[in-house]
Amino acid sequence: MTSYPTHTTLSALVTPAAKEPIPIPANLDELVKLLYAELGSKGLGYEGVDVDRVQALMSNYISNEDDWKEYALFDNNRYTRNLVDDGNGKFNLMILAWPENVGSAIHDHSGAHCIMKILDGELKETQYDWPDKLITESDHPDSGVGSDNSDDEGEKVTASPMRVKKETTLCRNACAYMSDQLGLHKVSNPLKTKGSLSLHLYTPPFESCRIFNECSSKARSSGKCVFYSAKGRKLESCPSATYLGCSLTTNSG
C-alpha cells in the first residue's frame, strides 16, 4: 500500500511541462478563481486544457480549516456532497465529508475527470479494473437475479469478483486523479475516531454514475446523487429520504 506525505513539496509547485509557473492559491476562494482561469469555458479533456497543470494547481493549495469549515457538514453513517462552486455548468467543485469508517461503493465517473485532494484526516483509495464484460443488474429489487447484458447477443456472462489494481492511502494535502480510462475506484475513511474531508473537482459535472458489486462485478445505477449543502447552507430541497436514495455510500465496518 502506498502512502503519500502530508505536505506539498517544492518540486510539486512547478511541473516540467508547464509553460508558466503554476500559481500557489492563498486560500480556497483564490483556488476557485484560478480554476476558472485554467478551465475557461471548457473543462478537462478538451484541447488546450492540461490535466497535470490543473492537478498541480489543486496540489499547491494548502488546506486551511478557516477556508472550508463552513462546508464541513457531516451526516451520520454516510458521506455528504457539499457544493463549493458550480463552475458555470462546466465543472463542480465540492467538499465531501466522510464520517469515520464510511466509504463509497465501487463506481465509475460517467465519463468525467475527477481530481481529489485531502483537506483533513485520511482516505484510502482502491482502484479496480473494468469487468471483462459489463453485467447490468435490474434496478427493481423484485425482479430476481436481474438481467445479464453483454456485447454478444445470446451470450451468458458468468459473474466474477472485481479485480483490485492498487490501494493508496492519501493523507492531508495529498492529491489524486481518476477517470474512467484508468478504471473504477472506491474511496473510504479508514479512521475509527475521526471524520475526513476531501475537495473534489468533477468536469464535466454529473448527477449519477454506475456502481459495481465487488463480489459479482454487476453494475447498476447509483440513483441521483444530490448535494447535501450548497455554499455552506444545508439544502431544504434535499430531505433525508431523497438524499438516502443515492446508493453510493457504504459502511466499511
Side-chain angles (χ1 to χ4, degrees), residues 34-47:
L34 290 168
L35 287 173
Y36 271 96
E38 290 291 338
L39 296 173
S41 61
K42 300 178 181 178
L44 295 181
Y46 288 88
E47 184 177 355

Side-chain angles (χ1 to χ4, degrees), residues 46-207:
Y46 288 88
E47 184 177 355
V49 179
D50 187 338
V51 174
D52 291 336
R53 182 177 174 87
V54 175
Q55 182 174 346
L57 177 61
M58 289 188 62
S59 292
N60 288 355
Y61 166 67
I62 303 301
S63 178
N64 184 336
E65 183 177 357
D66 289 338
D67 293 346
W68 47 253
K69 60 184 177 183
E70 64 180 304
Y71 305 104
L73 302 179
F74 286 84
D75 192 20
N76 291 335
N77 300 318
R78 62 191 61 251
Y79 73 85
T80 61
R81 304 167 79 245
N82 303 285
L83 182 66
V84 176
D85 198 283
D86 64 6
N88 287 336
K90 301 301 181 182
F91 67 86
N92 276 340
L93 187 68
M94 66 186 76
I95 289 176
L96 272 56
W98 307 82
E100 56 272 18
N101 208 37
V102 163
S104 74
I106 302 169
H107 60 280
D108 67 9
H109 290 89
S110 296
H113 300 262
C114 171
I115 299 177
M116 172 177 66
K117 180 184 180 70
I118 312 305
L119 298 178
D120 195 37
E122 183 178 299
L123 291 177
K124 182 174 77 171
E125 181 195 28
T126 306
Q127 291 190 14
Y128 297 83
D129 291 319
W130 279 89
D132 294 330
K133 294 286 186 178
L134 185 61
I135 309 173
T136 304
E137 291 181 351
S138 170
D139 289 331
H140 301 289
D142 60 350
S143 60
V145 176
S147 59
D148 292 343
N149 298 328
S150 68
D151 295 332
D152 301 315
E153 186 176 354
E155 178 184 355
K156 191 70 173 180
V157 180
T158 302
S160 59
M162 299 289 295
R163 296 187 301 271
V164 175
K165 293 176 64 176
K166 66 176 182 177
E167 290 186 340
T168 306
T169 299
L170 300 163
C171 302
R172 186 183 176 106
N173 283 315
C175 201
Y177 170 79
M178 190 61 186
S179 71
D180 290 344
Q181 286 69 35
L182 297 179
L184 308 167
H185 80 165
K186 69 177 180 181
V187 177
S188 61
N189 177 9
L191 303 178
K192 306 299 183 183
T193 60
K194 177 182 173 63
S196 295
L197 293 161
S198 51
L199 180 67
H200 294 244
L201 174 71
Y202 294 108
T203 174
F206 63 92
E207 291 186 339

